[in-house]
Structures are given as C-alpha cells and as structure tokens.
Amino acid sequence: MLDATKTINGTFCTMYHEGQWLTNVTSAEATVEINKEEIPRAGTRWIGHKQTSLTGSGSMTGYKVTNELAKRIGQIADDSQAAFVTELIMKIDDPENNDGKTRIRLKGVQFDSIPLLNYEVNSIVEQETPFTFSGFEYLD
C-alpha cells in the first residue's frame, strides 16, 4: 500500500544556476526523449525499433524578479557574441522521503527564446523559459 507521507512535495524542489538558488522558480521540468528508427523485419508483421539519439528538453517557470537571465540569453542577438550555454541543477529534498532525494545536473543548457517582457495588469509577472540540454548527470 502507498505510504502517502513518501509522496514528493514540490515545495522542497529547487533549481540552481551557477551555484545560486533561483528562489523565483516555482516549477520546472526536464525530460530526455529517446528517439528511435523503425526497423522492418522479415518473417513478422512486427516493426522493431533501434534507439538512435537522445533529445533533452525542459522548462522553468517563475516570478520575474530581474533581467539578468534574459540579458544573458539575449546575448545571441549581438552578432559579436556567442550563444549563452550553461548548466542547471535541479534538486528534490523532501524531508519526509530520504529515498526520493535527488540532484540532477543538466549539461549544455541552451534556452529556446529570449524572454523580453510579458505582463498582465493587477497580476504578478511570471515567465516560462523553455530550454534544451545535451546531457545530464545524477549527483546523488
């Protein structure tokens, strides 16, 4: 039977960039898609599959507090600068579940768009920042 106290509470999940806790991030996700090629086989109607590549993608959503990250992502718009490539660390640290504690380092993070500005009158400004990554590592 499921021990309800062992379910992960998102309150204890955090995101870090360059060692700094991004306290404004309220939700995040990262997924690796396994890409496959179909392999027709003789003597059967069943199609086989061969894993050929991996694609890492994710996003983080949070409160707009500064323009620092947007400016770093936006440096690609200056033809004299390279694209901003970085690493992120996602952490689960629910005190009620030691087995679920996890730290994952996302490598080669590149953002998909430059978050310039969005707002709605009488609302806290939030922004979603989608990204791709080219590797990951469990740190725990």
Side-chain angles (χ1 to χ4, degrees):
M1 179 179 285
L2 172 67
D3 179 354
T5 65
K6 298 297 183 188
T7 57
I8 303 295
N9 181 344
T11 299
F12 301 103
C13 299
T14 53
M15 175 82 77
Y16 294 84
H17 179 251
E18 296 182 349
Q20 181 179 4
W21 176 19
L22 300 177
T23 58
N24 61 311
V25 173
T26 57
S27 69
E29 67 172 311
T31 304
V32 175
E33 183 177 327
I34 302 170
N35 304 304
K36 304 174 199 168
E37 294 284 332
E38 290 187 353
I39 308 296
R41 298 181 289 179
T44 181
R45 290 184 182 98
W46 287 97
I47 298 290
H49 294 88
K50 172 73 175 177
Q51 291 85 1
T52 57
S53 62
L54 303 173
T55 303
S57 64
S59 69
M60 57 186 184
T61 302
Y63 304 119
K64 177 80 169 173
V65 178
T66 71
N67 290 318
E68 181 182 333
L69 185 59
K71 286 179 180 179
R72 292 179 82 179
I73 296 168
Q75 74 187 31
I76 195 169
D78 180 345
D79 289 336
S80 67
Q81 294 193 37
F84 176 59
V85 180
T86 192
E87 293 184 347
L88 296 172
I89 294 179
M90 299 175 74
K91 180 178 177 183
I92 297 174
D93 194 14
D94 189 330
E96 293 184 334
N97 185 338
N98 286 327
D99 295 331
K101 292 185 187 301
T102 307
R103 283 187 318 140
I104 298 176
R105 179 176 141 216
L106 304 178
K107 303 175 185 179
V109 174
Q110 297 184 61
F111 294 92
D112 298 346
S113 58
I114 303 167
L116 296 177
L117 184 60
N118 71 313
Y119 68 89
E120 183 178 328
V121 173
N122 205 29
S123 295
I124 300 297
V125 176
E126 294 184 88
Q127 66 185 28
E128 179 180 7
T129 311
F131 56 84
T132 56
F133 57 95
S134 58
F136 71 96
E137 171 185 13
Y138 283 96
L139 300 175
D140 293 328

